[in-house]
Amino acid sequence: MRLTEVAQNWLKSSLMEGDVVIDATLGNGFDALFLAEHIGDSGHLYGFDIQVEAINQSKQLLSSKHCKQTFFLHGHQHMEIMMPLSSKGKVKAIMFNLGWLPGSDKRIITDAATTIAALEQSIMFLAQGGKLSVMVYPGHDGGETEAMQVIQGLTQTCSQPKNSLSFEKIVVLHRPTAPVLLQVEKLVKDV
Ligand code: SAH
C-alpha cells in the first residue's frame, strides 16, 4: 500500500458528514478530493496553495462535490489569519504533502521554516480527536534537510505539555530516501 493511502485510511476512520477539513498543500487536488468525499454535502473543505495552477486544478477536480469549498492562494503559514476564528479547535483533518507539485516547476517547493510555522498553527485548529498527516520526501534535493527539520519541529511541538498530542512517525524501512508519513492526533480538548 502506498504511504498516501496509509494516511488516507488513518484519517478516514474519524471523518464524518459535516466535518471541517484542510488540505494545506493542494497540488493536483487528490488529497482535497479524498477529504471532500468523506465530509458529505454539509462539510467544509479549506485548501491552500501558492500556485494558481494548483488552485485551478483542485477546483476542477472538486467541481462535482457539493461540500462547501474555500480555496486560498496563500501559503499555509498564513493559516491563522486566513481561516475563520470560529474554526479553531473544530478541524477534524489536516493534510500536508510536502515537496513540489508533480509535473510542475520543481523550484517551487515547500520550505521547512514555513511548514513548521503552518504545522504549529494547524494544531490550534485541530478538534479533539482531530488528525494531522504530513507526507515528507527526504529523497529530493534539500528534501532530507526539510524532513529532518520538520520532524524535529513537530516532535518539539508535540512534546509541549499544553498540547496533548500523540505523534507517530511512520517510515518505510530499508529505503533511506523513501517518503515518510508523520501522523499527529489531538487527544484532549484545548483548555
Ligand atoms: N497533495 C498534492 C501534492 C502536493 S505537492 C496532491 O495530492 O496532488 C506540494 C504543493 O505544495 C505544491 O502544489 C506547492 O505549490 C505547494 N506549496 C509550496 N509551498 C507552499 C506553502 N507555503 N503553502 C501552501 N502550499 C505550498
Side-chain angles (χ1 to χ4, degrees):
M1 196 192 288
R2 291 161 58 101
L3 220 45
T4 44
E5 284 173 61
V6 176
Q8 293 187 351
N9 282 339
W10 178 67
L11 295 170
K12 195 158 65 183
S13 60
S14 44
L15 285 177
M16 289 190 329
E17 166 91 37
D19 277 346
V20 181
V21 294
I22 302 176
D23 186 340
T25 49
L26 282 167
N28 292 319
F30 298 124
D31 286 334
L33 181 65
F34 153 79
L35 290 168
E37 278 166 352
H38 291 89
I39 57 172
D41 291 357
S42 60
H44 196 151
L45 165 81
Y46 291 88
F48 288 83
D49 207 289
I50 51 170
Q51 298 190 68
V52 182
E53 300 91 296
I55 302 280
N56 289 343
Q57 196 160 331
S58 303
K59 275 188 184 166
Q60 202 178 346
L61 195 65
L62 285 143
S63 56
S64 64
K65 299 290 164 213
H66 299 294
C67 58
K68 269 183 254 153
Q69 302 173 16
T70 308
F71 296 98
F72 297 119
L73 180 58
H74 281 285
H76 40 222
Q77 66 274 24
H78 305 298
M79 189 180 286
E80 197 178 359
I81 47 171
M82 302 309 295
M83 289 290 294
L85 203 63
S86 58
S87 59
K88 266 195 186 165
K90 301 270 166 58
V91 179
K92 291 292 291 297
I94 307 180
M95 299 184 81
F96 283 77
N97 195 338
L98 305 184
W100 61 73
L101 176 62
S104 178
D105 189 343
K106 290 189 177 175
R107 285 170 304 182
I108 306 176
I109 52 172
T110 51
D111 159 81
T114 46
T115 304
I116 292 168
L119 288 170
E120 280 173 4
Q121 295 172 39
S122 296
I123 283 162
M124 299 190 289
F125 283 97
L126 282 183
Q128 180 175 19
K131 293 173 174 173
L132 165 72
S133 72
V134 190
M135 283 293 301
V136 190
Y137 301 88
H140 69 79
D141 255 6
E144 200 178 331
T145 316
E146 183 186 29
M148 212 181 62
Q149 291 178 1
V150 167
I151 292 169
Q152 230 168 41
L154 206 50
T155 310
Q156 219 164 48
T157 306
C158 290
S159 61
Q160 287 172 17
K162 70 176 168 76
N163 296 328
S164 187
L165 301 159
S166 79
F167 177 48
E168 294 169 54
K169 174 179 156 207
I170 296 183
V171 233
V172 180
L173 296 174
H174 308 305
R175 286 177 56 207
T177 55
V180 178
L181 167 63
L182 312 173
Q183 299 179 324
V184 178
E185 181 171 358
K186 188 178 267 187
L187 300 174
V188 183
K189 211 170 156 189
D190 293 319
V191 280

